[in-house]
Coordinates of all heavy atoms in Angstrom, one line a residue:
Chain A
G261 N -16.2 74.0 -13.1 CA -16.7 73.3 -14.2 C -17.7 74.2 -15.1 O -18.0 75.4 -14.6
I262 N -18.0 73.6 -16.2 CA -19.0 74.3 -17.0 C -20.1 73.4 -17.8 O -19.6 72.3 -18.1 CB -18.4 75.3 -18.0 CG1 -19.4 76.3 -18.5 CG2 -17.6 74.5 -19.1 CD1 -18.8 77.5 -19.3
I263 N -21.2 73.9 -18.0 CA -22.3 73.1 -18.7 C -22.4 73.9 -20.1 O -22.7 75.0 -20.0 CB -23.5 72.9 -18.0 CG1 -23.4 72.1 -16.9 CG2 -24.5 72.2 -18.9 CD1 -24.7 71.8 -16.1
T264 N -22.2 73.2 -21.2 CA -22.4 73.9 -22.4 C -23.5 73.3 -23.3 O -23.6 72.0 -23.4 CB -21.1 73.7 -23.3 OG1 -20.0 74.3 -22.5 CG2 -21.2 74.5 -24.6
Q265 N -24.4 74.1 -23.7 CA -25.6 73.6 -24.4 C -25.4 74.1 -25.9 O -25.0 75.2 -26.2 CB -26.9 74.0 -23.9 CG -27.3 73.5 -22.6 CD -28.6 74.0 -22.2 OE1 -28.8 74.5 -21.0 NE2 -29.6 73.8 -23.1
T266 N -25.7 73.2 -26.8 CA -25.6 73.6 -28.3 C -26.9 73.0 -29.0 O -27.2 71.8 -28.7 CB -24.3 73.1 -29.0 OG1 -24.1 71.7 -28.7 CG2 -23.0 73.7 -28.4
P267 N -27.3 73.7 -30.0 CA -27.0 75.2 -30.3 C -27.8 76.0 -29.4 O -28.7 75.6 -28.6 CB -27.6 75.3 -31.8 CG -28.7 74.3 -31.8 CD -28.4 73.1 -30.9
K268 N -27.4 77.3 -29.3 CA -28.1 78.2 -28.4 C -29.6 78.5 -29.0 O -30.4 78.7 -28.3 CB -27.4 79.6 -28.4 CG -26.3 79.5 -27.4 CD -25.7 81.1 -27.2 CE -25.0 81.1 -26.0 NZ -24.0 80.1 -25.5
F269 N -29.6 78.5 -30.4 CA -30.9 78.7 -31.1 C -31.1 77.5 -32.1 O -30.2 77.3 -32.8 CB -31.1 79.9 -31.8 CG -31.0 81.2 -30.9 CD1 -29.7 81.8 -30.6 CD2 -32.1 81.6 -30.3 CE1 -29.7 82.9 -29.7 CE2 -32.2 82.8 -29.5 CZ -31.0 83.4 -29.2
L270 N -32.2 76.8 -32.0 CA -32.5 75.8 -33.0 C -33.8 76.0 -33.7 O -34.8 76.1 -33.1 CB -32.4 74.4 -32.2 CG -32.8 73.2 -33.0 CD1 -31.8 73.1 -34.1 CD2 -32.8 72.0 -32.2
I271 N -33.7 76.3 -35.0 CA -34.9 76.5 -35.9 C -35.2 75.4 -36.6 O -34.3 74.8 -37.3 CB -34.6 77.8 -36.7 CG1 -34.2 79.0 -35.9 CG2 -35.8 78.1 -37.6 CD1 -33.7 80.3 -36.7
G272 N -36.4 75.1 -36.7 CA -36.8 73.7 -37.4 C -38.2 74.0 -38.0 O -39.0 74.9 -37.6

Side-chain angles (χ1 to χ4, degrees):
Chain A
I262 192 165
I263 295 184
T264 305
Q265 289 185 234
T266 54
K268 278 192 165 38
F269 295 93
L270 181 54
I271 301 172

